[in-house]
Structure formats: structure tokens, C-alpha cells
Amino acid sequence: MRLVDIMNQLPSLHGFTHMTKVNKGYSPDDKYLITVGETRYFVRLSDLVHHEKRQKEFALLQDLAKQGVHTHKAIDYTVLREANLSAMVVSFLEGSPADETIHQLSDSEQYQLGLAAGKQLSAIHRVKPPQNMNWEASQRKKFFTYFKAYQQDSYHLPQETKLVSFIDAHLPLLKHRPITLLHDDFHLGHIICKDQTFNGIIDFNGFDVGDPYHDFYNIALFSRRHSIPFCIGQINGYFPSAPDETFWQLYALYAAMTVFSTIVWTRQYDPPSFDDALERIQLILQDHDHFSWTKPIWYTDDYPLPNNANIF
């Protein structure tokens, strides 16, 4: 079936005048920006093997809207069996990914952006998760699968022993964690800025359920390198008061665990970016003095909130 015929079968896209393919990201889906009149829509075409999860994602976007989360508005979801595809149509969030624009902002504006992101993350975690799970068993299995693959690889970290000891000592913290909805890829690249302010969060297609504190690991892996004021703002926006030691222990545990998964994943799926991944890993190790402590050296809980800050 021709692409134009597929789009013409979607009720919200009748009379569309322009179509642009979106190539950014690692998703196997085909993504398009479609213009109808003066309105732009984001369309995701997925193989029907992903139908159940995409259908849940569409319902999830509706639930997120009820919680006041600024994200794509769910427009329609259609199964196209003849093409073996599902089509999800959502509103398009105007603006640019924050990782592309944050360096144009002042430290105060970066901090405000972080505050907005943290408050939104808290709202995401208030949405009822679509299922329950054994978080400890899941995370242990995931970590040891990655660690086994890491041990079989030719690259090994010089600080490996200390890092493994830290993880071993803190794995019991995974017991009895609350289970919430997770964005599961929450970082600056999925936060949209318009006119130098927060305009929403995108890419819930990889959503998961689990410990809400797990949604902070991308601060260590990605966002910290771009903007410390943003990272401090995200944490301060999420918590009504300074986070306790349990948060920092789990934050550090997830940061430490992601070191090994990042090495394995990058070596297997994106070898050209391995040097970049190692730079990010070195920052994580430096921030925690190779996990001699849990709270990263850049965090302060008395970062000044700008006068008359307007978070949204």
C-alpha cells in the first residue's frame, strides 16, 4: 500500500497538504510530520507486532493529559490490517529538543526548565501504571545479563572492581520499591523548548513501569553533561523538599548499573559513538568519585530560584 493511501485512510489527516519523514531516534517505527491546513500532526506507523503496546501508549497519552502532563494530544489510533500497520496520530509539539537549545539559555533559564521538567515527571509518576511487576527480580536479571555480556567483551573499565562492589552492596535497595509509570527515557532530548521555555515532553513510546527513581538515571548519563542547572532544577522540581539519602543511594545505584549497560549497548548497536559514551561514563565516575559517595558532586539543594520564576 502506498504511503499516501495509508495517510488518506486516517480521518484526522483528510486533505493533508504536506508530509515529511522524521528520521531522528532509534525506534523501528516510521514517523512523519503531516500538515493539514495550518495544523501539524505527528504520525507513527508501527508493525502490528507492536499493536498492543502502541494501543496502550495511545490510552496512556489520554491519561497523561488528565494529570496535566504537557505532551502530545492523542488524536486517533487506527489499525490498517491490509498494510500490517497501526497508525497513531497525535498533536505536534512546536519547538526544539532542549539538548539542541539549552546552551542558548542563561543558567537561571536552564534551572527553570529543570524545575518544569521535574514537576512534569512527578505528574507522570501519578498516572496509574498499566501493570505491576517484581522490580527487584527484573532489575537484577537485566543487570546481570548486561554484566555477563560486558565480561565477554574485550573492553573493561580500569575501575571495574570498585564499581561492581558498590552495585553488589546496594542491590538490596531494590526490594519493595513503589511501582509507577515510567517515561523510561527522560532527558533533554525528549523535552521540547519553545521561546526559551518548557513546552512539553515527547517520546512515551518506550514507556515502562517500575521504581519512579529509575527515571532519574538519564540525568547522570545524558543531561548532566549539557546543563548542571537543569539537573538541579529537575530534582528540586520533583521533590517538595530536599531528597533524602534513599533517593541518592538509588540514584547512584542506577547510575552505576547504567555504566555497564551503556558499554554493552553502544558496542553492539552504535560503535561509532563509543568514545562519546566513555566520556559520559567518565563523568559519572568522577561525579561520584568512582562511587565512594552517592550524591554527585555537582548537586546543591540551595540552588537559587530566580526572582518571579515562571515555571510554565
Side-chain angles (χ1 to χ4, degrees), residues 113-183:
L113 184 65
L115 284 174
K119 288 181 180 295
Q120 290 283 280
L121 185 58
S122 178
I124 290 168
H125 292 163
R126 290 196 295 269
V127 174
K128 182 180 179 181
Q131 65 201 61
N132 211 330
M133 69 177 312
N134 185 324
W135 178 249
E136 181 190 11
S138 169
Q139 286 300 292
R140 283 181 177 271
K141 180 180 179 181
K142 181 178 178 181
F143 171 70
F144 286 113
T145 298
Y146 273 120
F147 187 62
K148 182 178 179 180
Y150 164 82
Q151 288 178 308
Q152 294 171 349
D153 195 274
S154 59
Y155 177 83
H156 285 176
L157 284 168
Q159 310 90 346
E160 174 188 312
T161 301
K162 189 172 184 179
L163 187 57
V164 172
S165 295
F166 176 86
I167 293 170
D168 245 8
H170 289 80
L171 280 175
L173 290 172
L174 299 174
K175 293 179 182 292
H176 311 305
R177 292 300 301 155
I179 301 301
T180 69
L181 175 71
L182 301 180
H183 181 284

Side-chain angles (χ1 to χ4, degrees), residues 11-280:
S12 57
L13 303 184
H14 286 171
F16 76 91
T17 55
H18 191 70
M19 175 169 53
T20 304
K21 197 170 194 309
V22 178
N23 294 311
K24 191 172 183 179
Y26 292 96
S27 168
D29 298 344
D30 289 328
K31 296 165 287 186
Y32 298 89
L33 188 58
I34 307 293
T35 302
V36 182
E38 296 183 357
T39 304
R40 295 201 286 179
Y41 297 94
F42 185 80
V43 180
R44 182 183 293 275
L45 301 180
S46 308
D47 189 289
L48 280 184
V49 71
H50 304 298
H51 165 57
E52 185 177 352
K53 183 159 189 178
R54 291 293 172 262
Q55 194 172 40
K56 286 181 180 178
E57 180 187 349
F58 188 77
L60 178 63
L61 290 176
Q62 296 172 318
D63 292 339
L64 288 165
K66 294 174 185 176
Q67 286 293 341
V69 176
H70 295 226
T71 187
H72 301 289
K73 179 182 178 182
I75 306 297
D76 63 51
Y77 181 84
T78 305
V79 173
L80 305 165
R81 297 203 178 276
E82 184 181 345
N84 196 42
L85 293 172
S86 68
M88 185 187 304
V89 181
V90 299
S91 63
F92 177 70
L93 286 181
E94 299 288 346
S96 302
D99 60 347
E100 297 176 4
T101 60
I102 196 162
H103 298 298
Q104 301 169 17
L105 307 181
S106 68
D107 284 357
S108 293
E109 289 169 331
Q110 292 177 32
Y111 180 69
Q112 278 190 272
L113 184 65
L115 284 174
K119 288 181 180 295
Q120 290 283 280
L121 185 58
S122 178
I124 290 168
H125 292 163
R126 290 196 295 269
V127 174
K128 182 180 179 181
Q131 65 201 61
N132 211 330
M133 69 177 312
N134 185 324
W135 178 249
E136 181 190 11
S138 169
Q139 286 300 292
R140 283 181 177 271
K141 180 180 179 181
K142 181 178 178 181
F143 171 70
F144 286 113
T145 298
Y146 273 120
F147 187 62
K148 182 178 179 180
Y150 164 82
Q151 288 178 308
Q152 294 171 349
D153 195 274
S154 59
Y155 177 83
H156 285 176
L157 284 168
Q159 310 90 346
E160 174 188 312
T161 301
K162 189 172 184 179
L163 187 57
V164 172
S165 295
F166 176 86
I167 293 170
D168 245 8
H170 289 80
L171 280 175
L173 290 172
L174 299 174
K175 293 179 182 292
H176 311 305
R177 292 300 301 155
I179 301 301
T180 69
L181 175 71
L182 301 180
H183 181 284
D184 210 38
D185 202 11
F186 195 87
H187 58 73
L188 281 164
H190 292 152
I191 293 169
I192 300 300
C193 280
K194 182 182 180 184
D195 299 327
Q196 299 183 316
T197 58
F198 176 89
N199 197 41
I201 300 162
I202 62 172
D203 274 16
F204 280 89
N205 63 292
F207 77 90
D208 206 343
V209 299
D211 177 9
Y213 291 173
H214 189 263
D215 255 341
F216 286 85
Y217 81 92
N218 272 323
I219 283 183
L221 189 60
F222 292 113
S223 299
R224 175 263 186 267
R225 184 168 65 169
H226 289 285
S227 170
I228 287 174
F230 170 86
C231 295
I232 295 173
Q234 180 181 324
I235 293 167
N236 291 354
Y238 185 89
F239 291 98
S241 57
D244 61 18
E245 182 56 26
T246 298
F247 168 76
W248 289 120
Q249 288 178 338
L250 282 160
Y251 172 89
L253 173 61
Y254 295 138
M257 292 166 75
T258 202
V259 166
F260 293 110
S261 60
T262 297
I263 290 172
V264 171
W265 189 92
T266 308
R267 296 274 282 179
Q268 289 183 358
Y269 299 107
D270 194 10
S273 70
F274 186 60
D275 287 344
D276 178 77
L278 286 183
E279 286 182 14
R280 289 183 279 117

